[in-house]
Amino acid sequence: MSEDTFPGPIQIPLATAKEWEKRYQDDTTAEDSKTKVKSFLIPRESLETVLKLNTDAVRAYIGINDKKEKTLLFVGAEYDKETGKYNDVYGPPSSGEQRSAAAAEDVVYDGTRPSPPY
């Protein structure tokens, strides 16, 4: 993907996000210092959209997307006073006339690109 197409889709179906997160957790490859991800380029739209959930906090999960790039997946996090823990809050399904089955489920927010190379 080139920077011309940044950020790309920012809404990721929850099932896809869980798959990417598992892929990252299961990854045992050692990183070469030349390609090791040092930061992420985050589109403003991703941050603004997750902040519109109006939660107490935002959690960022690490995943590996379908292009084999590390990515951050953003969800809202709401504090539960009874348990003393933060619970994930997902975005609402996409709206619009051309909704697919995947678009009908809760979403997390992405659009990040690893640096290097971006």
Side-chain angles (χ1 to χ4, degrees):
M1 173 174 287
S2 73
E3 291 189 23
D4 293 339
T5 57
F6 178 78
I10 66 161
Q11 290 193 357
I12 307 297
L14 179 57
T16 301
K18 287 183 177 186
E19 178 184 326
W20 289 4
E21 182 187 352
K22 182 176 181 347
R23 194 179 295 161
Y24 180 77
Q25 294 299 322
D26 294 345
D27 182 29
T28 59
T29 60
E31 293 185 76
D32 182 298
S33 63
K34 294 177 187 172
T35 59
K36 185 175 185 176
V37 174
K38 296 175 178 77
S39 66
F40 289 89
L41 182 62
I42 304 168
R44 180 184 188 111
E45 182 182 4
S46 293
L47 296 177
E48 288 175 345
T49 305
V50 76
L51 291 174
K52 285 180 185 175
L53 295 174
N54 202 27
T55 55
D56 296 328
V58 174
R59 180 173 284 141
Y61 287 95
I62 301 170
I64 296 177
N65 65 22
D66 295 337
K67 295 177 183 168
K68 308 294 186 230
E69 298 173 328
K70 287 186 181 168
T71 189
L72 295 178
L73 304 161
F74 299 107
V75 299
E78 195 68 38
Y79 185 71
D80 183 336
K81 291 178 184 177
E82 290 182 25
T83 64
K85 296 181 180 183
Y86 283 87
N87 296 316
D88 289 346
V89 176
Y90 305 106
S94 300
S95 60
E97 296 178 25
Q98 297 180 333
R99 288 178 57 166
S100 67
E105 67 178 281
D106 290 341
V107 297
V108 302
Y109 302 98
D110 180 35
T112 63
R113 294 296 171 260
S115 177
Y118 299 98

